[in-house]
Every structure is written in C-alpha cells, then in structure tokens.
C-alpha cells in the first residue's frame, strides 16, 4: 500500500496519484505544498495550527487538533506541534468512508485554489490595501507599491529566482544535487 518514488518529477509532481493531501507538519514556514495540492484538486488534512490551518476551508479540508505545542531546544522562533494521532487517523478514515464524495470535494478544492490562491488576484488586493493606508510620508507608500509591483514582475517570470531569493537553503541543496547528477 506504500510506494516509494525516488526520482525528480517535474510539475505538477505526483499529486495526481492521490485523492487527499495529508500534511501533519510539526513546523512550517508557510507550507506551499498545500496550495499546490489544492490547485491540483486535492482536499487537505493538516494540523490545526498556523500557518498550516490557514489553507483549510472546512467545506473541502480538515484541520486536525494539536496534542502538544512546544519550543525547539535551539530556541527557534516558531513553536513545533504534535498532531493528535488518533484524530488524524479518524480524519483520514472519514475520507475513505465517504469516498463517494471525493470527486465533488476534489472539484471544490480546485475551484477554491483558483478563487483564493491566485497570485495576480491577491497581489491586486494587496496593492489596493496599500493604497488605502494613510501614511504621512508619501515616499514610504510609493516605495511599498513599487516593491510589490517589482516583486510581481520579477517572480511571475521566474520561479527559480523566487526560490533562490526567498528559500536560499533549498535552492542551494537543489543546485548541489543537480551538479552531482552531471
């Protein structure tokens, strides 16, 4: 029942192999794979703790309770959490028991992603919010709007640049792995 796939897979990855995306993360910065899974039409099961639960729409996805919240020994600034394993198991079972509803949930997940996770739509909303800010120094406001426009222009073109600039450790690992393959 478990298949281990050890290879590089181009977008959209292996999401098509599943029906539900299970993501009981202990510690996360943002969890972009949840947005990817939703955009591939997969409902989510994740932990009810930020930022993971921020992607949960209860009509298509489920947030599982946390059994424990604690700090890492190295003082890392985000707390870790442990998901309630029994609740996780029951939640996964609920999708199996209600398998007849999966096609409808998968379509709703895709619609949700198109409506809620579109960068262009969200960037426009953010620009609009910035324009409403009352700042005594117009230069600050103009700089914020300029940075957002530049970010949108730069990163819409090149995902590699986005990963390099915002996730340098991941970029370095991938770059080194690719160099070794040559």
């Amino acid at each position: 029942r478990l298949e281990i796939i050890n290879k590089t897979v181009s977008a959209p990855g292996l999401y098509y192999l599943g029906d539900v995306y299970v993501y009981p993360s202990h510690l996360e910065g943002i969890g972009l794979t949840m947005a990817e899974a939703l955009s591939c039409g997969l409902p989510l099961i994740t932990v009810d703790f930020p930022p993971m639960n921020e992607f949960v729409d209860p009509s298509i996805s489920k947030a599982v309770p946390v059994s424990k919240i604690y700090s890492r020994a190295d003082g890392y600034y985000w707390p870790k959490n442990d998901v309630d394993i029994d609740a996780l198991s029951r939640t996964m079972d609920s999708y199996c028991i209600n398998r007849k509803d999966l096609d409808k949930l998968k379509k709703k997940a895709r619609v949700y992603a198109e409506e809620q996770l579109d960068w262009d739509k969200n960037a426009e909303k953010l620009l609009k919010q910035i324009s409403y800010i009352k700042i005594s120094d117009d230069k600050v406001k103009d700089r914020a709007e300029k940075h957002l426009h530049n970010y949108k222009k730069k990163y819409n073109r090149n995902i590699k640049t986005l990963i390099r600039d915002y996730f340098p450790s991941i970029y370095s690992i991938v770059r080194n792995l690719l160099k070794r393959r040559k």
Side-chain angles (χ1 to χ4, degrees):
R1 294 181 57 182
L2 178 64
E3 180 181 356
I4 297 173
I5 300 170
N6 187 10
K7 64 181 179 180
T8 302
V9 181
S10 61
L14 300 173
Y15 295 106
Y16 71 94
L17 294 174
D19 291 314
V20 177
Y21 189 67
V22 182
Y23 194 75
S25 179
H26 286 285
L27 175 67
E28 194 60 59
I30 188 163
L32 290 177
T33 61
M34 290 186 290
E36 292 172 348
L38 286 163
S39 71
C40 290
L42 297 180
L44 302 175
I45 298 173
T46 192
V47 62
D48 193 7
F49 196 75
M52 290 72 71
N53 60 0
E54 294 170 9
F55 285 100
V56 173
D57 177 318
S59 70
I60 52 173
S61 299
K62 298 184 183 195
V64 178
V66 172
S67 64
K68 181 180 174 187
I69 298 171
Y70 52 98
S71 296
R72 287 181 14 167
D74 63 0
Y76 192 67
Y77 47 86
W78 282 323
K80 288 180 73 172
N81 70 82
D82 289 340
V83 68
D84 180 322
I85 297 296
D86 292 333
L88 177 62
S89 179
R90 285 190 305 275
T91 302
M92 291 167 58
D93 284 344
S94 73
Y95 281 96
C96 294
I97 292 166
N98 299 305
R99 191 160 184 77
K100 65 186 181 326
D101 298 331
L102 272 177
D103 285 339
K104 182 174 73 171
L105 288 173
K106 290 168 87 170
K107 287 175 185 162
K108 285 176 75 173
R110 176 64 186 163
V111 169
Y112 171 82
E114 289 173 347
E115 292 175 355
Q116 302 297 320
L117 304 178
D118 182 285
W119 167 251
D120 289 324
K121 291 178 186 176
N122 291 332
E124 289 304 317
K125 289 178 191 174
L126 184 56
L127 275 173
K128 192 178 281 186
Q129 291 300 316
I130 289 172
S131 70
Y132 294 137
I133 297 173
K134 295 188 187 318
I135 299 176
S136 58
D137 183 355
D138 283 337
K139 289 180 183 179
V140 172
K141 185 175 174 180
D142 291 342
R143 276 199 316 263
E145 288 176 341
K146 181 181 175 186
H147 282 299
L148 187 57
H149 280 295
N150 288 342
Y151 174 90
K152 182 179 176 185
K153 200 183 314 175
K154 183 176 182 181
Y155 296 118
N156 268 352
R157 284 195 324 262
N158 192 335
I159 192 69
K160 175 184 171 186
T161 307
L162 172 70
I163 293 170
R164 184 195 68 213
D165 292 355
Y166 285 90
F167 307 100
S169 59
I170 293 172
Y171 177 81
S172 176
I173 291 167
V174 171
R175 190 182 72 228
N176 289 335
L177 286 171
L178 292 174
K179 280 182 183 177
R180 281 189 219 147
R181 287 186 142 185
K182 290 181 181 181

